[in-house]
């Protein structure tokens, strides 16, 4: 971690004690970070901590919570589900409101974007949303699971065994726990994500909250899938979209920097006066 601005604690949440990193900004503005899933979080943590430092110096109090069953929080992943993670976030926002914050902003990364949309669609949270930053977001749950299952499929191919996503889904349906890159996935967690509401939340339509999407790509223009999703998003929301030519820090073999991503994101905080 090695960031003097950060405070670490174990905070009682809905089911147990969750590990929480936080920082205290001077302007009394709250920013909650919804991280990527599984190993993508491990490879992103250093980038997130750098961003917390930048945001804190701009007045933000930042909060990064390891979900129940992940990181240093209590519990096991096969005892968690998306509803529990959302309940913990709702509780955290209630705690921020009780501490005197008047609004909340979010940085949602990869799977965190899906989680944020579900959170805002299903819950009446205690603070109005001022700004949302999306880093390399998933908008479709199907694509998230396709990419995650592909890790297991590739592992088995390296052992000379054929495996399909359909077979993995069947194993889950039969009650098996499927371990993928060291993470136990069970049917209850998988099913809880299928019940999510990942449509664009109302607070992001019509300019109610400021929305920025930062996408990393080695291409000069957005790919077809990204452009399609952007077009759909722009039908209901005002979105500041920027394409950045940096390394995909969430899945590189070695830890990668993302200086442009950090610089532009910090600038958006100042520009929009969150």
């Amino acid at each position: 971690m090695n960031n003097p601005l950060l405070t670490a604690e174990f905070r009682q949440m809905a089911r147990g004690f969750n590990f929480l990193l936080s920082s205290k900004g001077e302007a009394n503005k709250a920013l909650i970070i919804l991280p990527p899933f599984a190993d993508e979080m491990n490879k992103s943590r250093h980038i997130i901590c750098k961003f917390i430092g930048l945001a804190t110096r701009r007045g933000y109090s930042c909060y990064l919570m390891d979900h129940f069953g992940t990181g240093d929080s209590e519990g096991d992943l096969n005892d968690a589900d998306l509803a529990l993670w959302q309940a913990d976030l709702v509780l955290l926002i209630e705690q921020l409101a009780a501490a005197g914050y008047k609004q909340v902003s979010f940085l949602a990364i990869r799977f965190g974007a899906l989680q944020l949309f579900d959170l805002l669609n299903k819950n009446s949270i205690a603070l109005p949303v001022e700004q949302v930053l999306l880093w390399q977001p998933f908008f479709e749950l199907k694509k998230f699971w396709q990419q995650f299952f592909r890790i297991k499929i590739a592992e088995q191919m390296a052992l000379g065994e054929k495996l399909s996503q359909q077979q993995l889904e069947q194993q889950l349906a039969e009650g098996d726990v499927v371990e993928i890159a060291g993470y136990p996935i069970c049917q209850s967690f998988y099913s809880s994500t299928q019940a999510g509401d990942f449509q664009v939340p109302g607070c992001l339509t019509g300019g109610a909250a400021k929305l920025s999407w930062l996408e990393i790509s080695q291409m000069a223009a957005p790919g077809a899938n990204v452009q399609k999703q952007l077009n759909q998003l722009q039908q209901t929301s005002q979105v500041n979209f920027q394409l950045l030519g940096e390394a995909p820090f969430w899945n590189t073999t070695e830890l990668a920097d993302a200086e442009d991503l950090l610089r532009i994101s910090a600038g958006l905080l100042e520009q929009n006066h969150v």
Side-chain angles (χ1 to χ4, degrees), residues 5 49-59 262-263 266 269:
L5 298 174
C49 287
K50 286 182 179 179
F51 182 68
I52 289 176
L54 293 173
T56 304
R57 293 183 181 95
R58 286 160 175 79
L262 294 172
R263 175 181 55 80
L269 296 182

Side-chain angles (χ1 to χ4, degrees), residues 225-263:
N225 289 335
V226 170
Q227 188 62 58
K228 178 182 177 182
Q229 184 60 56
L230 179 59
N231 292 342
Q232 293 176 350
L233 193 59
Q234 289 174 330
Q235 291 177 9
T236 58
S237 308
Q238 297 178 4
V239 54
N240 176 4
F241 176 84
Q242 297 192 48
L243 196 67
L244 308 177
E246 296 188 305
F249 61 86
W250 60 92
N251 69 359
T252 53
T253 302
E254 301 293 333
L255 294 183
D257 292 325
E259 296 303 323
D260 286 344
L261 178 71
L262 294 172
R263 175 181 55 80

Side-chain angles (χ1 to χ4, degrees), residues 87-248:
D88 284 341
L89 287 168
V90 169
L91 179 56
L92 176 61
I93 296 169
E94 290 175 353
Q95 293 170 352
L96 295 179
Y101 292 95
K102 302 302 181 184
Q103 60 195 30
V104 63
S105 293
F106 295 94
L107 166 61
I109 309 166
R110 305 285 287 156
F111 176 79
L114 290 169
Q115 189 179 0
L116 176 61
F117 282 19
D118 185 57
L119 172 74
L120 297 178
N121 281 324
K122 289 185 176 179
N123 298 277
S124 176
I125 62 174
L127 293 171
V129 179
E130 178 67 13
Q131 182 175 185
V132 169
L133 296 176
L134 304 176
W135 288 0
Q136 209 72 19
F138 282 108
F139 292 102
E140 297 179 19
L141 183 71
K142 179 180 179 180
K143 289 186 177 180
F144 163 74
W145 281 116
Q146 283 176 341
Q147 290 193 20
F148 194 65
F149 284 138
R150 200 174 295 157
I151 298 172
K152 183 68 173 181
I153 294 170
E155 290 175 351
Q156 296 307 113
M157 285 182 63
L159 299 174
E161 300 177 11
K162 291 185 177 181
L163 185 65
S164 68
Q165 180 172 336
Q166 184 178 6
Q167 288 174 304
L168 290 171
E169 290 172 337
Q170 183 62 35
Q171 291 176 25
L172 291 172
E174 292 173 354
D176 294 339
V177 176
V178 177
E179 185 174 299
I180 303 178
Y183 293 86
I185 307 298
C186 64
Q187 178 63 24
S188 59
F189 180 83
Y190 180 71
S191 297
S192 74
T193 65
Q194 302 296 324
D197 182 353
F198 306 119
Q199 300 299 311
V200 180
C203 68
L204 296 182
T205 62
K210 302 176 183 68
L211 174 63
S212 298
W213 171 4
L214 303 183
E215 183 80 7
I216 288 175
S217 174
Q218 298 305 309
M219 297 187 296
N225 289 335
V226 170
Q227 188 62 58
K228 178 182 177 182
Q229 184 60 56
L230 179 59
N231 292 342
Q232 293 176 350
L233 193 59
Q234 289 174 330
Q235 291 177 9
T236 58
S237 308
Q238 297 178 4
V239 54
N240 176 4
F241 176 84
Q242 297 192 48
L243 196 67
L244 308 177
E246 296 188 305

Side-chain angles (χ1 to χ4, degrees), residues 49-94:
C49 287
K50 286 182 179 179
F51 182 68
I52 289 176
L54 293 173
T56 304
R57 293 183 181 95
R58 286 160 175 79
Y60 295 83
S61 296
C62 302
Y63 297 86
L64 171 65
M65 183 167 59
D66 286 352
H67 296 305
F68 181 89
T70 72
D72 291 320
S73 292
E74 286 189 337
D76 297 316
L77 184 58
N78 55 11
D79 293 324
D81 57 31
L82 191 59
L84 174 60
W85 289 3
Q86 307 298 54
D88 284 341
L89 287 168
V90 169
L91 179 56
L92 176 61
I93 296 169
E94 290 175 353

